[in-house]
Amino acid sequence: MPGNEGMFDALHKYHNHDTSKVLLGLTSLFVVISSLSSFQIFAMPVFDNLEFKYTSKYNKPCPWWLRSGIRVFFGSVEFFISAALPFLRNLAALIGGIALPITLAYPCFMWIHIRKPTTYSAIWGLNWALGILGMVLSILAVIGATWSLATMGIEFHFFKAQ
């Protein structure tokens, strides 16, 4: 992969001469569609939380125009953060490693807490093992990201993409 750019830039850099412009354009279009779709999916807990606060405070459902406004506002805040702090992509591995237990370990431990299986049964042991494995992988990801940041360094440029 060239430098610090990523797979998308590598595609255009190395295959620009031997791939049709239509295919490269479709690839770009699909990346945009995927990004917009995944933002809606992964931001859903934030939207739900904000709508829950509204319905709890006013004891009525959130109207469509307010729901749309919440999504536009949150998207604008996210865009501002990405423009103001363009170096955050260098911290992506560290942030991902810190958040990884939510995906890998938390469901296993919550299942044990909610279902209360027989202690030392096979399913109890499997969930404990998977939860501990998730925690170990998360710790290794944080160590690797920290090592990478320590060896490569990071340059901070606010409102100035490199």
Side-chain angles (χ1 to χ4, degrees):
M1 300 257 296
N4 211 7
E5 293 145 3
M7 289 177 60
F8 192 64
D9 290 331
L11 174 71
H12 286 278
K13 184 175 183 178
Y14 293 120
H15 297 289
N16 198 17
H17 62 290
D18 63 353
T19 306
S20 71
K21 300 289 183 196
V22 173
L23 189 60
L24 289 174
L26 280 173
T27 305
S28 301
L29 177 68
F30 290 148
V31 166
V32 169
I33 291 171
S34 175
S35 298
L36 292 174
S37 301
S38 64
F39 177 78
Q40 289 295 320
I41 292 168
F42 291 120
M44 191 58 69
V46 176
F47 300 149
D48 286 342
N49 189 24
L50 294 173
E51 290 176 19
F52 174 75
K53 287 183 180 185
Y54 176 84
T55 56
S56 297
K57 185 175 182 179
Y58 296 108
N59 292 326
K60 62 181 183 177
C62 195
W64 70 270
W65 57 268
L66 184 60
R67 189 175 298 137
S68 299
I70 288 171
R71 290 171 189 241
V72 168
F73 173 74
F74 183 72
S76 301
V77 169
E78 291 295 314
F79 178 76
F80 176 76
I81 290 171
S82 67
L85 310 172
F87 54 85
L88 279 180
R89 70 180 182 146
N90 296 335
L91 299 174
L94 182 61
I95 294 168
I98 292 170
L100 203 56
I102 295 171
T103 304
L104 297 179
Y106 182 72
C108 300
F109 296 138
M110 283 306 298
W111 188 88
I112 291 171
H113 181 72
I114 292 169
R115 294 289 178 104
K116 297 180 180 25
T118 307
T119 307
Y120 304 114
S121 65
I123 196 74
W124 180 87
L126 177 67
N127 275 287
W128 268 104
L130 290 175
I132 291 170
L133 178 66
M135 292 301 292
V136 168
L137 289 174
S138 301
I139 291 168
L140 290 175
V142 169
I143 291 171
T146 306
W147 181 267
S148 175
L149 285 174
T151 57
M152 292 185 343
I154 185 172
E155 294 182 21
F156 296 99
H157 299 282
F158 297 98
F159 290 104
K160 186 178 178 184
Q162 295 294 320

